[in-house]
Amino acid sequence: MRDLVTGMSYLVKGQRWVGRNRRRWGLGLLPGLITLAGYAAAMTVLALRSDDVVDWATPFADGWGSPWLGLFRGALTALFFGGCLLLAMLSFTAVTLLVGQPFYEALSERVDLTEGGSAPSSGLPLWRELWISARESLAVLVRASLWGVLFFALGFVPFVGQTVVPAIGFCVSGFFLTEELSAVALQRRGIPLRQRLELLRSRKLLVLGFGVPLILLFLVPLVAVFVMPGAVAGATLLARDLLGETAEESGDEAESATENVGGAGFTGPSDVRW
């Protein structure tokens, strides 16, 4: 339970950090505002056309009588829109981080500097970092989408689908959201996606303590935009904790903290095969 509370504290500490660094917070808002405008337009169209999509997907129910046809298609419409909304929340973070890569990487580096006096760097050109980030974000979204399909199917199970399944869905969403945010700091340390996932799984309560409250905050309109810079700062602090980095570490010590992450065969940034 201690890790759960610690994860929540990193979310709060991240917001406090950007509160003390208003310029970083202001720059961090720009990518979120740009992405929000596009997503708002897409979700509006989806809300208006969800009924048509469900009608098209369930022609076998055309002959059903009232009230069963309305109840069946109404439930499917709610599940379809809810699934799209969940995917939008997860992909919003990935797209925002991709759009704002230079802004968020600079913010994460500044957090490292204030905490440890050094900021690990991948040493890769920006275009290469963007490509890696896009490729790995897509892989995370595919994983999250597969979970979303499973939860959609389980949503038809009476009682369990309306109680247990949504709770598990929030936990899974929080895990993947934390992965996307912490990737800003961990990619700079040369840790690829597979090892990042293993690292996060090793301390699930810490990850859930950070990610689940953040998912709940993202449900409130516009909140995601304003908390995103602080979430990146908090995820950097969480990444430092996962790697065992402390405020007193030098640059060489911080780099060595990535050694042996995820098991044998990974001995640090120099061994990464992108």
Side-chain angles (χ1 to χ4, degrees):
M1 293 301 293
R2 181 179 180 181
D3 265 357
L4 192 66
V5 175
T6 302
M8 295 178 185
S9 72
Y10 285 138
L11 183 57
V12 175
K13 288 177 181 178
Q15 301 305 321
R16 287 178 178 172
W17 191 93
V18 295
R20 296 191 301 267
N21 297 266
R22 297 296 180 86
R23 181 173 178 273
R24 298 286 177 182
W25 179 74
L27 291 174
L29 290 180
L30 295 178
L33 291 172
I34 294 171
T35 307
L36 178 65
Y39 270 68
M43 293 305 294
T44 299
V45 172
L46 183 64
L48 295 174
R49 302 303 299 271
S50 289
D51 289 342
D52 296 335
V53 173
V54 171
D55 291 348
W56 171 82
T58 57
F60 58 85
D62 287 342
W64 292 11
S66 179
W68 306 116
L69 176 61
L71 290 174
F72 175 70
R73 284 182 168 168
L76 280 184
T77 299
L79 287 171
F80 173 70
F81 185 78
C84 291
L85 185 61
L86 178 61
L87 183 60
M89 286 191 296
L90 292 172
S91 62
F92 176 86
T93 303
V95 173
T96 302
L97 290 173
L98 188 61
V99 171
Q101 176 83 8
F103 298 98
Y104 295 130
E105 187 163 310
L107 188 153
S108 179
E109 288 177 351
R110 179 58 59 181
V111 173
D112 272 326
L113 289 172
T114 57
E115 290 296 310
S118 63
S121 174
S122 65
L124 298 173
L126 179 60
W127 70 268
R128 180 71 170 168
E129 289 183 345
L130 289 173
W131 166 248
I132 293 170
S133 179
R135 186 183 65 187
E136 294 187 340
S137 292
L138 180 60
V140 171
L141 287 176
V142 169
R143 286 176 168 86
S145 298
L146 292 176
W147 279 100
V149 171
L150 175 62
F151 292 144
F152 178 82
L154 292 176
F156 292 100
V157 179
F159 183 72
V160 174
Q162 294 75 46
T163 54
V164 178
V165 173
I168 297 176
F170 276 116
C171 292
V172 172
S173 300
F175 178 90
F176 284 118
L177 180 61
T178 303
E179 194 288 321
E180 290 177 323
L181 291 166
S182 61
V184 177
L186 294 175
Q187 282 177 348
R188 288 192 293 104
R189 288 158 169 81
I191 303 178
L193 177 60
R194 181 171 62 84
Q195 277 77 24
R196 293 203 305 269
L197 291 173
E198 292 176 2
L199 190 63
L200 293 171
R201 292 190 192 107
S202 69
R203 294 180 66 183
K204 293 187 181 71
L205 287 179
L206 178 71
V207 172
L208 295 180
F210 182 87
V212 173
L214 195 55
I215 280 287
L216 295 174
L217 284 174
F218 277 21
L219 292 175
V220 182
L222 298 178
V223 167
V225 175
F226 293 100
V227 303
M228 181 68 77
V232 172
T236 301
L237 296 173
L238 183 143
R240 293 176 60 87
D241 188 344
L242 288 172
L243 295 172
E245 297 179 12
T246 64
E248 290 77 22
E249 283 184 321
S250 65
D252 291 339
E253 290 169 333
E255 182 176 333
S256 67
T258 62
E259 294 184 357
N260 299 319
V261 173
F266 180 70
T267 58
S270 61
D271 286 348
V272 174
R273 296 294 181 265
W274 298 108

